[in-house]
Amino acid sequence: MADTVREIERKYEADDNTRLPDLAGIDRVAAVVEAGTEDLDAVYYDTAGQCLAAAGITLRRRTGGRDAGWHLKLPVGPGVRDELRAPLSETPPPELTALVRSRVLDGELVPVVRLRTRRTVRVLKDAAGTPLAEVAEDAVHAWPAAGAVDAGTAGAGRAGARWREIEVELAGDGSAGLLDEVGRALTEAGVRPASAASKLARALAETGQGRDGAAPPAAGPDERPAHGSGKAAAKGKGAGKRGKKGPTAGEVVLDYAREQVRVIIELDPAVRRDLPDSVHRMRVATRRLRSAFRSYTKVLDRAATLPIGVELKWLAAELGVERDREVLTERLREGLAEVPATLRLGPVDARLRIWSERRRAGARDRLLDVLDGPRYLALLKTLHALLEEPPLRKAAARPAPEVAAGAVLKDYRRLARRTEAALAAQAGRERDEALHGARKAAKRTRYAAEAARPALGGPAKKFAKRTKRVQQLLGDHQDSVVARGALRELATQAQRAGEGGFTFGLLYGREEALAADRERALPDVWRKASRRKHRAALRP
């Protein structure tokens, strides 16, 4: 994986005759040290529709300076980006292009802008000589790249752009407070906050390549908007228009679907980088999207969404392989930690670690193969196409509250049937399976209520919250069922190795008792969640 550097910076611009102030004495700054001047030459890459620029992502090949190479910058938050670096090569390196695949799809990355920058760097240091921040004063010259490979032909026949930019980036022990203080000093000296989020965004605007002087919108396959422009939704059959009566059902459901697709696309690079909780969040987004397709069949044609739902189920399962292992291992590890030392017989910790690592082996590589594979790419394209030309039904033009309430209550009735059946089932495997089915129905009902919040407001929020309590209780029960299966496997392996399975058997008994406790608690939790007044509140 490429090296990663977290950038926390503020950008400013200034006229050529504006002098920068002396920053010594600001916050903890004891000295301003000149770090020299360097010439940088960078070519920025994007698709023809500039989908990376629209997402605030930059990919460049830069020579000169201390960090020559390929740089991919991914937004983290306001003023914060992760810069991933790879060595110089003639073409964009695969380890970086993989991180933008969910944006680019199978589009070609081509040079779009070339920037030459003369950079003068000053380092702000504290009394101990520790760097706090770097102030880079850049004289920038930009051209449309036009495939040029040398400065003499870069942007030949096209107008270039020049400007002066100041970047203040934290280093070492610097803090956000320091950035604020430096910003105030620069502003008082006549320096202005940057008019564009990045050099690329300004270059696109000033060289006439953006839309109305700005970066163009995100592009998906065939340069269509990455998340659906909304125009197709508004023009689609039955979509209706927003007015005094509020949004239509089609608008509410499409907004929800569009948000889940956005989450999937944005989390793709985080999953590839193995960032904390990224797999779980991406999996939840796929489940929410599939659930919306199943709940709102009066809005979106089931014939069109059913095959997409099948693919979303596949993706969620692939994302779940490693996630489920992590959750299960942590549950078993916490259970072992609660067992008194006198009852921890044999190398139980080592046995659990070996068991978990064996299950982990290959899971990460398998997930990356999925994200790099044609099936996942086809799914992303299909999602783009669906949002661009949504298969809306007649009910999509109706007011959102009445349609949303009907969908939520339909899922609730399904949940009620499954819960009552589970409560009446025989103890043991039959009840475990019935409770698991009720759990899935609770999750679907909760997601339907969450999607309905823009239409139904507070009642939908409360309904989702109450349903979530049922889902969590049933989820804890299901986790116990899965944990007991793992403990049985661990005990068998331990016995075959001559270690004894007493401790794992003890944990099995505890999990069995926990499951029984959840079963006893279910009638009361369900009674509180299913009161008639809660359902009545959903009615518009």
Side-chain angles (χ1 to χ4, degrees):
M1 181 56 69
D3 295 333
T4 303
V5 176
R6 174 64 57 88
E7 285 187 345
I8 303 176
E9 63 182 14
R10 307 274 174 85
K11 291 179 177 289
Y12 303 87
E13 57 190 43
D15 300 327
D16 290 340
N17 57 358
T18 301
R19 294 174 59 90
L20 297 188
D22 183 4
L23 299 175
I26 291 177
D27 200 352
R28 293 182 290 145
V29 178
V32 179
V33 180
E34 298 286 343
T37 299
E38 52 193 17
D39 291 316
L40 311 175
D41 190 353
V43 177
Y44 288 76
Y45 284 68
D46 208 332
T47 62
Q50 298 171 6
C51 61
L52 297 187
I57 297 171
T58 60
L59 174 64
R60 72 186 177 200
R61 181 185 188 275
R62 188 165 79 181
T63 57
R66 296 164 292 174
D67 59 350
W70 285 92
H71 304 156
L72 174 65
K73 297 192 178 188
L74 301 172
V76 175
V80 183
R81 295 190 292 181
D82 277 349
E83 180 177 285
L84 292 93
R85 300 173 178 175
L88 280 174
S89 59
E90 291 303 315
T91 58
E95 61 265 38
L96 297 187
T97 57
L99 297 175
V100 297
R101 191 183 189 222
S102 64
R103 300 280 186 183
V104 175
L105 302 181
D106 55 4
E108 183 183 4
L109 288 167
V110 297
V112 291
V113 165
R114 186 165 191 170
L115 269 65
R116 278 201 156 187
T117 303
R118 169 149 287 194
R119 168 168 290 180
T120 301
V121 179
R122 300 174 179 86
V123 182
L124 310 185
K125 296 186 176 183
D126 64 13
T130 302
L132 301 174
E134 286 190 359
V135 179
E137 187 177 354
D138 294 340
V140 185
H141 189 186
W143 307 266
V149 294
D150 61 73
T153 60
R158 303 188 187 185
R162 295 179 183 270
W163 68 89
R164 184 179 174 213
E165 182 172 296
I166 295 92
E167 293 182 359
V168 184
E169 181 179 350
L170 289 183
D173 293 336
S175 65
L178 172 62
L179 290 181
D180 294 337
E181 291 290 329
V182 172
R184 280 191 283 270
L186 292 175
T187 302
E188 290 174 0
V191 176
R192 305 176 299 277
S195 57
S198 65
K199 287 184 174 67
L200 173 61
R202 180 161 182 173
L204 290 172
E206 297 209 7
T207 59
Q209 297 183 89
R211 178 178 297 179
D212 297 326
D222 303 322
E223 307 309 333
R224 293 178 301 198
H227 310 307
S229 64
K231 293 181 180 179
K235 294 180 181 178
K237 181 180 178 182
K241 296 181 179 180
R242 296 182 189 271
K244 293 182 179 180
K245 294 183 179 180
T248 64
E251 288 167 334
V252 168
V253 173
L254 285 175
D255 283 349
Y256 184 80
R258 194 170 288 115
E259 173 63 14
Q260 305 317 312
V261 174
R262 181 194 67 79
V263 171
I264 292 170
I265 291 171
E266 291 189 355
L267 284 174
D268 177 288
V271 170
R272 293 174 185 271
R273 296 169 61 196
D274 203 18
L275 297 185
D277 206 35
S278 58
V279 171
H280 172 63
R281 290 164 57 205
M282 187 172 178
R283 187 187 189 191
V284 168
T286 63
R287 286 176 163 175
R288 281 180 168 144
L289 184 56
R290 177 171 177 257
S291 181
F293 290 162
R294 300 174 73 188
S295 296
Y296 291 92
T297 54
K298 289 187 177 181
V299 176
L300 295 174
D301 189 348
R302 184 67 170 152
T305 60
L306 181 59
I308 303 176
V310 171
E311 294 304 285
L312 289 170
K313 183 179 181 180
W314 159 77
L315 178 58
E318 294 292 349
L319 290 166
V321 171
E322 175 62 9
R323 170 68 181 175
D324 289 345
R325 183 202 64 82
E326 289 178 352
V327 172
L328 178 57
T329 299
E330 185 60 25
R331 184 184 184 99
L332 298 180
R333 186 177 290 120
E334 290 176 355
L336 279 175
E338 295 174 359
V339 175
T342 54
L343 300 179
R344 295 164 66 91
L345 307 182
V348 289
D349 291 294
R351 172 60 56 189
L352 174 59
R353 184 174 61 255
I354 293 170
W355 174 86
S356 179
E357 287 302 318
R358 283 177 177 171
R359 291 168 65 95
R360 187 180 191 277
R364 176 74 183 156
D365 290 340
R366 173 177 172 175
L367 179 55
L368 292 177
D369 286 342
V370 166
L371 298 181
D372 288 334
R375 187 173 180 180
Y376 174 64
L377 180 63
L379 172 58
L380 293 180
K381 287 183 176 182
T382 302
L383 292 174
H384 284 302
L386 178 133
L387 294 178
E388 182 65 17
E389 298 292 341
L392 296 171
R393 300 186 66 195
K394 186 176 180 179
R398 289 164 52 190
E402 61 180 77
V403 177
V408 174
L409 292 175
K410 178 190 68 175
D411 283 347
Y412 164 79
R413 289 190 290 271
R414 181 171 174 268
L415 167 61
R417 290 193 299 271
R418 291 197 177 187
T419 303
E420 296 299 336
L423 290 172
Q426 291 291 327
R429 184 173 181 178
E430 179 184 345
R431 183 180 296 170
D432 289 344
E433 292 179 352
L435 290 171
H436 184 43
R439 176 203 179 198
K440 291 189 287 187
K443 185 178 296 185
R444 177 168 157 181
T445 305
R446 170 193 162 196
Y447 289 160
E450 289 176 349
R453 280 186 60 183
L456 301 176
K461 180 180 179 180
K462 292 178 181 178
F463 194 86
K465 185 176 181 179
R466 295 184 182 99
T467 307
K468 184 178 180 180
R469 294 194 188 106
V470 177
Q471 176 197 329
Q472 288 177 329
L473 184 143
L474 294 172
D476 202 20
H477 181 277
Q478 177 62 17
D479 289 346
S480 177
V481 172
V482 174
R484 277 179 275 159
L487 288 165
R488 188 184 299 111
E489 181 182 344
L490 283 163
T492 300
Q493 292 176 359
Q495 287 179 332
R496 287 175 179 172
E499 299 168 0
F502 172 81
T503 304
F504 295 123
L506 176 63
L507 289 178
Y508 185 100
R510 288 187 175 186
E511 289 288 356
E512 201 169 38
L514 184 147
D517 178 71
R518 298 300 181 266
E519 291 177 24
R520 286 190 296 270
L522 178 58
D524 184 57
V525 173
W526 172 243
R527 184 170 55 253
K528 291 178 181 178
S530 61
R531 288 173 179 167
R532 183 174 299 178
K533 65 178 182 179
H534 301 329
R535 304 195 299 278
L538 293 175
R539 291 295 185 186

